[in-house]
Amino acid sequence: MDRRKFLKALAVAGAAVTIKSKGGMDILAQTVKGSGNAKPVDLVAVMGGDPVTMFRRAITEMGGMSKFIKKGWKVTVKPNIGWDKTPELAGNTNPQLVGEIVRQCFAAGASEVTVFDHTCDDWMKCYKNSGIENAAKAAGAKVVPAHEESYYRSVSLPDGKALKDAKVHQAILDSDAWINVPVLKHHGGANLTIAMKNYMGIVWDRRIFHNSGLQQCIADICTLSKRPVLNVVDAYRTVKTNGPQGRSLSDVVDTKGLFISQDIIAVDTAAAKFFGQIREMPLDYVSCLANGQALGLGTMNLDKLNIKRIKL
Amino acid sequence: MLKKLRVILSLLFFGLITFLFLDFAGLIANHRLDWLARIQFIPALMAHSIIILLVIIGVTLLFGRIYCSSVCPMGVFQDIVSYVSKKTGKRKKRYRFGKAKNILRLILVGIVAIGVISHVTVLLGLTDPYSAYGRMVSNILRPVYLSGNNLLEKIFTSFDNYTFYRKEIFIADGAAFAVSLITFAGIGFLAWKHGRLYCNTICPVGTILGLAGKFSLIKIRIDESKCNHCSICETKCKASCIDSKKQTIDYSRCVDCFNCLGSCKMKAMKFTFGRKPAFGQNVENSTSTDTGKRRFLLTGIAGIASVPLLMAQNKLNSGKPYLRKNAISPPGALSREHLQRHCTSCHLCIDKCPTQVLKPAFTEYGLGGMMQPMMYFEKGYCNYSCTLCSEVCPTGALKPLTVAEKHLTQVGQVVFVEDLCVVHTEGTNCGACAEHCPTQAVTMVPYKNELTIPHTNPEICVGCGGCEYICPVRPHRAIHVEANLEHKKAKPFDKGEKQKVEIQDFGF
């Protein structure tokens, strides 16, 4: 037990030192200043920086990580690690972003941070070649497997329309809080994959989704009672065609964007509109958004929200 | 001294090659132990590795059947079994000289050889000691090893340590499992009762090297002047090849275990050059007829004669557009024919496949291809950039592929049946197939309203099975891979260039 405590302390200290050395302490300081009497920010959109800088800025605007992660919590960070692709090909969430989120969780007092995804390609190749395993481990996270049914537990989804239950990974179910970290991509089946679609990586049998109405099932799984405390959409690089894998660099656009919100429908709507600038993508093509809104998961009406738009 | 050396060498080879088959986690990095399979006699023969064959035969001509003693894992397996039987048996274990069954040995080798010449390797695969041992490890020991791993995983994970990860345990093919079990029980029983009887009766390698062993330069020799016919050596000989009464040794069966050397109280046995040539020291050949042998021979010949017939029965289905007509051979196999001519079903490729795409065939290739690896997409699909199976194959049945070659190796082609697709039948989004397609041989094209439906371009398909694996439609899938009996070269897809797209605004 002592050893574990020591390691945790070490990880936190390490994270703190890292942040300090990179000027991240200013951000933490701003957090305290910023969380005054202003109207709470619903969604932050950042453009023009590297993933780490954009995230730091965004989380600061949101009120700092400690607003979402409390001391001693077990946190799970769920990126998209679906494919055996290198970061340049943008098939997976940016590894630096994942690393930074893990560090900030520890800085906010998380006792442990777990990272996983139910991959499509061979899980070990995905974990390794995406760079996420290394980045997350370097930041002190535990990277756990998700390739076996026995890691999942059945949960009921009373609010789901088409999907009434699903087997969800224990790392989500056993966490105190989880953070959804998708990457924005074109998707041959769902047209777009963002935060809602990223839920498919926490469930075991995805064929059911495809079999019983993909767009409704995506919305249904998001009714899982344990909601993510944050949705962080990585749009640093975006697969615009041949998604969700992309097959070469010609499918990838350097978009340098990042979106963050607690409202999963809002953040996906924002990201979808952002994507619409690369190629035509009417929101009704991504009908999981409307389906999710109908289930009361959030709003597609961005005008109602307090949005911070930041260009770096 | 010699015996100790033999035991150490044997256990080393045995342990390492067994681990080569068991190691699912890649603890042996960079194919460091693959050579252990390549230096086996039959794999070297199938791969036409002349140098390895010459070395094995050369060593045998010099020292006798060192190969059988130490290099062959099945040989060492039998030694371990007979050792255990000796240690646990109530009565003291004693071997007795037995007549050589030379005619049977030659007939069996002949049958196997006829099979190989007529491109049916199944008999060779059944009798080759390396392949038979490989199957035993792959089908019987591996599940035990995986259970151990999963138990450790459970313990370690409960302490928040993720060193281990779970691995699913399943029997991919019942027939291959049964054959392995019968091999294990059969050879195990023979070894328990009669030591190296398998090696000196059935094993084709034993017979071939036995012929060379007869003429070996250095061999165990009995000093007739010292020998007092006490027959202790005979009781220690697990090859039953010492006739202490006649003071002769059947060198075609001696496997150089050296157990006799230390047992001789008179120090009458030596592993040494002979003063006179060893010819004529062999026991006489058995000439008496044996109806059992004849019957065996007849069945063997009948079996071989029926092979072309059985080979013809290799079409899985015909007529139904949604069913696979032919089984898919693994990448590197070049063609089904090449695979069938060279594979001895050791199952090393099956063990090494990280996504469980390979399993032993039952009758999908016809009976001649029983237990040879075939691709199937129930547990996973072939990783686009993975070349492991082709790299580990010791017989050359799978030719090594580079990643670039693999990307263009088309083992089969995609077949899409729109009438079954959920987009068509249910009017809902899916796209799981296109999602998994590494080359976009399956893409989603506009269908109705916001719906998209798969569209295939078989030319650029590699046959990885991603689409078939993930297709949610049951009982028959809307998309599957049809085998190329002869592998083709996939047309490379247009990689294009990265475009500069400047996004200036948020868009909302």
Side-chain angles (χ1 to χ4, degrees):
Chain A
M1 217 37 204
D2 275 340
R3 192 183 63 99
R4 211 189 287 176
K5 270 186 190 155
F6 170 75
L7 285 176
K8 276 174 201 162
L10 197 68
V12 174
V17 167
T18 325
I19 288 166
K20 193 171 183 187
S21 64
K22 289 186 181 167
M25 275 303 181
D26 303 340
I27 289 166
L28 292 180
Q30 282 173 20
T31 306
V32 182
K33 264 188 279 167
S35 60
N37 44 17
K39 196 181 160 206
V41 178
D42 298 314
L43 190 150
V44 180
V46 190
M47 273 185 80
D50 64 84
V52 173
T53 314
M54 288 196 291
F55 177 72
R56 284 183 184 162
R57 184 62 192 271
I59 192 71
T60 307
E61 297 292 340
M62 289 293 292
M65 191 59 108
S66 51
K67 200 174 139 188
F68 307 97
I69 301 297
K70 301 297 173 207
K71 257 202 164 58
W73 275 9
K74 286 163 80 173
V75 182
T76 292
V77 173
K78 161 62 179 77
N80 184 337
I81 328 178
W83 306 100
D84 177 14
K85 299 276 176 190
T86 53
E88 301 72 45
L89 288 165
N92 308 303
T93 305
N94 186 287
Q96 292 163 309
L97 174 62
V98 176
E100 178 61 16
I101 293 174
V102 171
R103 278 191 292 274
Q104 296 236 6
C105 287
F106 279 123
S111 63
E112 118 184 351
V113 181
T114 305
V115 176
F116 82 95
D117 188 19
H118 181 191
T119 65
C120 296
D121 280 335
D122 178 36
W123 70 282
M124 287 203 278
K125 290 198 171 72
C126 293
Y127 276 22
K128 184 165 176 274
N129 296 338
S130 66
I132 290 176
E133 181 173 22
N134 271 341
K137 279 186 174 164
K142 284 193 311 197
V143 179
V144 303
H147 64 291
E148 268 272 308
E149 188 169 4
S150 46
Y151 296 115
Y152 297 77
R153 293 206 301 269
S154 205
V155 290
S156 73
L157 302 164
D159 298 332
K161 275 189 179 168
L163 195 69
K164 290 291 182 190
D165 50 60
K167 284 195 144 187
V168 174
H169 197 282
Q170 60 197 22
I172 295 286
L173 300 176
D174 298 339
S175 67
D176 293 309
W178 70 285
I179 301 177
N180 189 14
V181 195
V183 59
L184 169 65
K185 287 186 293 180
H186 166 249
H187 193 284
N191 291 320
L192 274 184
T193 164
I194 328 174
M196 294 178 78
K197 178 85 172 62
N198 197 36
Y199 262 80
M200 284 181 78
I202 70 171
V203 297
W204 172 246
D205 191 351
R206 296 184 278 226
R207 286 196 190 87
I208 297 168
F209 283 60
H210 287 278
N211 221 349
S212 8
L214 184 60
Q215 300 281 18
Q216 186 58 49
C217 289
I218 292 172
D220 289 350
I221 186 65
C222 296
T223 63
L224 179 73
S225 59
K226 183 173 268 171
R227 306 279 160 83
V229 292
L230 275 176
N231 300 286
V232 184
V233 178
D234 167 29
Y236 180 67
R237 297 188 187 96
T238 304
V239 171
K240 68 173 194 326
T241 40
N242 293 321
Q245 280 199 66
R247 54 178 189 181
S248 72
L249 279 174
S250 66
D251 294 315
V252 183
V253 184
D254 293 334
T255 41
K256 296 194 176 176
L258 183 135
F259 309 91
I260 181 167
S261 177
Q262 288 195 288
D263 183 332
I264 195 165
I265 307 289
V267 83
D268 275 11
T269 306
K273 288 187 167 185
F274 182 73
F275 187 90
Q277 301 179 105
I278 313 170
R279 73 182 262 205
E280 199 196 345
M281 187 55 70
L283 288 187
D284 50 349
Y285 274 35
V286 195
S287 51
C288 63
L289 292 173
N291 293 340
Q293 185 172 250
L295 288 168
L297 294 170
T299 178
M300 289 171 71
N301 186 355
L302 299 184
D303 298 337
K304 276 198 330 201
L305 302 176
N306 181 18
I307 299 179
K308 283 251 173 163
R309 296 174 177 81
I310 298 153
K311 287 188 185 171
L312 297 174
Chain B
M1 178 59 203
L2 276 172
K3 183 188 165 185
K4 262 186 197 152
L5 196 69
R6 188 266 301 175
V7 170
I8 292 168
L9 202 66
S10 303
L11 290 178
L12 200 67
F13 270 114
F14 180 77
L16 289 177
I17 201 164
T18 304
F19 189 61
L20 173 67
F21 274 89
L22 292 176
D23 178 33
F24 68 91
L27 300 178
I28 315 164
N30 306 324
H31 298 288
R32 232 172 262 158
L33 291 184
D34 288 1
W35 60 274
L36 282 167
R38 288 180 215 285
I39 60 165
Q40 301 293 330
F41 190 84
I42 295 295
L45 187 70
M46 301 311 278
H48 308 302
S49 309
I50 308 285
I51 296 173
I52 293 173
L53 290 176
L54 285 179
V55 168
I56 295 175
I57 292 171
V59 166
T60 312
L61 283 172
L62 274 175
F63 305 108
R65 290 166 61 182
I66 302 277
Y67 172 86
C68 300
S69 190
S70 295
V71 182
C72 172
M74 187 62 95
V76 183
F77 163 73
Q78 292 171 78
D79 288 352
I80 292 171
V81 170
S82 45
Y83 179 81
V84 174
S85 112
K86 191 174 84 183
K87 288 287 165 191
T88 57
K90 283 182 201 116
R91 280 188 300 155
K92 215 171 176 193
K93 193 169 180 68
R94 287 168 162 215
Y95 295 105
R96 258 184 41 218
F97 176 74
K99 273 186 185 168
K101 297 175 177 59
N102 285 339
I103 292 195
L104 181 62
R105 291 168 83 180
L106 290 172
I107 286 170
L108 286 174
V109 164
I111 292 172
V112 168
I114 291 168
V116 173
I117 291 163
S118 54
H119 303 310
V120 182
T121 49
V122 67
L123 288 174
L124 180 67
L126 279 171
T127 51
D128 167 34
Y130 156 75
S131 301
Y133 181 74
R135 283 193 300 273
M136 273 162 43
V137 178
S138 176
N139 291 284
I140 303 168
L141 192 56
R142 189 177 146 94
V144 177
Y145 182 76
L146 293 183
S147 315
N149 169 75
N150 291 357
L151 184 70
L152 283 175
E153 187 273 345
K154 208 164 196 170
I155 297 166
F156 273 72
T157 305
S158 70
F159 286 102
D160 267 352
N161 180 313
Y162 289 86
T163 314
F164 295 88
Y165 56 87
R166 265 172 244 174
K167 193 88 183 157
E168 193 190 351
I169 302 166
F170 59 92
I171 293 164
D173 179 63
F177 180 74
V179 169
S180 309
L181 209 60
I182 292 167
T183 311
F184 177 76
I187 298 182
F189 173 78
L190 287 181
W192 188 274
K193 290 281 184 198
H194 308 290
R196 292 282 199 127
L197 189 61
Y198 175 82
C199 310
N200 288 327
T201 314
I202 299 169
C203 177
V205 183
T207 304
I208 294 167
L209 292 184
L211 288 173
K214 272 188 181 181
F215 305 108
S216 63
L217 219 53
I218 302 174
K219 51 178 75 160
I220 292 168
R221 291 168 205 275
I222 302 171
D223 186 339
E224 287 164 32
S225 59
K226 286 186 186 167
C227 173
N228 64 354
H229 302 276
C230 75
S231 83
I232 281 188
C233 56
E234 186 177 326
T235 66
K236 299 285 179 195
C237 178
K238 62 195 179 201
S240 301
C241 71
I242 304 176
D243 187 344
S244 62
K245 287 196 192 83
K246 293 185 182 150
Q247 296 177 328
T248 57
I249 297 173
D250 177 2
Y251 295 110
S252 80
R253 287 184 289 161
C254 172
V255 293
D256 281 350
C257 73
F258 307 127
N259 287 355
C260 54
L261 291 185
S263 74
C264 183
K265 302 267 189 312
M266 308 307 292
K267 296 198 167 33
M269 303 188 92
K270 274 203 175 88
F271 187 59
T272 172
F273 289 98
R275 256 173 287 160
K276 52 183 179 183
F279 303 104
Q281 280 197 4
N282 307 307
V283 288
E284 78 281 17
N285 288 341
S286 149
T287 45
S288 62
T289 52
D290 181 333
T291 47
K293 274 181 208 166
R294 287 200 173 162
R295 203 177 306 138
F296 189 90
L297 184 60
L298 278 173
T299 357
I301 289 168
I304 289 170
S306 63
V307 155
L309 237 159
L310 297 166
M311 294 280 283
Q313 303 177 338
N314 52 13
K315 264 215 154 51
L316 298 178
N317 304 286
S318 51
K320 304 269 196 305
Y322 47 81
L323 292 176
R324 192 179 352 268
K325 291 177 185 61
N326 288 296
I328 308 166
S329 49
L334 307 180
S335 64
R336 170 191 285 189
E337 209 185 320
H338 179 87
L339 177 76
Q340 282 197 312
R341 286 183 182 188
H342 295 88
C343 175
T344 55
S345 312
C346 71
H347 293 180
L348 186 57
C349 56
I350 294 173
D351 277 4
K352 292 295 166 192
C353 178
T355 47
Q356 285 97 44
V357 178
L358 298 181
K359 75 166 181 179
F362 181 43
T363 54
E364 289 89 344
Y365 289 138
L367 278 189
M370 219 172 145
M371 299 193 298
Q372 289 180 342
M374 61 173 239
M375 296 177 84
Y376 79 125
F377 309 116
E378 289 297 325
K379 301 275 175 195
Y381 54 95
C382 184
N383 193 288
Y384 186 48
S385 299
C386 177
T387 52
L388 265 179
C389 58
S390 76
E391 286 164 29
V392 296
C393 178
T395 64
L398 305 182
K399 296 278 186 202
L401 293 173
T402 63
V403 173
E405 287 166 341
K406 168 80 188 295
H407 284 176
L408 296 179
T409 300
Q410 188 186 69
V411 297
Q413 287 190 342
V414 60
V415 177
F416 174 57
V417 184
E418 187 175 325
D419 289 344
L420 291 178
C421 179
V422 287
V423 181
H424 175 84
T425 58
E426 309 291 323
T428 55
N429 283 109
C430 178
C433 49
E435 182 179 342
H436 283 70
C437 183
T439 66
Q440 292 297 294
V442 185
T443 48
M444 301 305 285
V445 295
Y447 186 56
K448 290 174 188 158
N449 304 322
E450 88 282 2
L451 292 181
T452 52
I453 198 155
H455 169 78
T456 60
N457 178 6
E459 274 194 329
I460 59 170
C461 173
V462 290
C464 73
C467 53
E468 181 178 332
Y469 165 75
I470 203 67
C471 179
V473 183
R474 294 292 183 280
H476 303 297
R477 296 169 195 216
I479 197 162
H480 72 273
V481 178
E482 184 49 61
N484 285 345
L485 290 180
E486 193 139 339
H487 292 181
K488 292 180 183 149
K489 202 170 173 196
K491 197 177 140 196
F493 61 82
D494 181 20
K495 285 213 167 77
E497 300 248 313
K498 189 163 178 175
Q499 296 154 330
K500 273 260 171 243
V501 179
E502 290 282 322
I503 307 284
Q504 299 294 345
D505 233 317
F506 290 105
F508 54 89

